[in-house]
């Protein structure tokens, strides 16, 4: 599975960005996909996840502001980020999971190269 992110950039606080993740390869085996982020000096954090069964997960810090979605016809995962804050600044990574459905949203096997999001006040 290959994952390629795009859509990062520099945005003012309160603004919006939409990240995209194009998946290719053995995508029929993917049970969940998610977005992680990692800021300098901080641990990697699961921001949002979406299972093939339709379940979603959001970190408390982004609930109500971020929305994860997927376009199965385009094999693309999205992360719509609204009301961005400086603390959202991080490298954002797309990830895909082949794990069993019960744990797939929290265990990942494949990673993209990341896209930088920088929010300034």
């Amino acid at each position: 599975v290959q994952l390629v992110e795009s859509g990062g950039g520099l945005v003012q606080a309160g603004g919006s960005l939409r990240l995209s993740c194009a998946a290719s390869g053995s995508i029929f085996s993917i049970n969940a996909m998610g977005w992680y982020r990692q800021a300098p000096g901080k641990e990697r954090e699961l921001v949002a996840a979406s299972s093939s069964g339709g379940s979603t997960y959001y970190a408390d810090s982004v609930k109500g502001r971020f929305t994860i979605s997927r376009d199965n016809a385009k094999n693309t995962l999205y992360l719509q980020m609204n009301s961005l804050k400086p603390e959202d600044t991080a490298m954002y990574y797309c990830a895909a999971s082949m794990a069993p459905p019960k744990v797939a949203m929290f265990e990942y096997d494949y990673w993209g190269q990341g896209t930088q999001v920088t929010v300034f006040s």
Side-chain angles (χ1 to χ4, degrees):
V1 174
Q2 293 78 46
L3 304 171
V4 179
E5 303 99 330
S6 61
L10 183 66
V11 63
Q12 191 170 19
S16 298
L17 282 174
R18 187 177 78 158
L19 305 184
S20 299
C21 172
S24 60
S26 301
I27 59 174
F28 56 87
S29 298
I30 295 175
N31 287 327
M33 295 188 73
W35 289 97
Y36 277 81
R37 67 185 179 187
Q38 187 166 23
K42 294 189 176 181
E43 292 188 357
R44 187 177 60 189
E45 171 190 25
L46 178 61
V47 175
S50 171
S51 76
S52 57
S55 299
T56 56
Y57 163 86
Y58 293 96
D60 287 343
S61 57
V62 306
K63 281 181 181 176
R65 300 188 298 122
F66 290 11
T67 303
I68 190 169
S69 63
R70 56 172 67 187
D71 184 332
N72 291 326
K74 296 182 178 180
N75 298 327
T76 301
L77 181 75
Y78 301 101
L79 185 67
Q80 178 67 42
M81 305 186 294
N82 298 329
S83 302
L84 282 162
K85 304 175 181 180
E87 50 264 44
D88 294 319
T89 296
M91 184 71 79
Y92 283 72
Y93 298 91
C94 175
S97 172
M98 309 298 196
K102 283 188 177 181
V103 298
M105 286 202 291
F106 305 99
E107 295 183 8
Y108 291 89
D109 306 284
Y110 298 94
W111 299 83
Q113 82 289 350
T115 186
Q116 178 68 38
V117 172
T118 302
V119 184
F120 64 94
S121 57

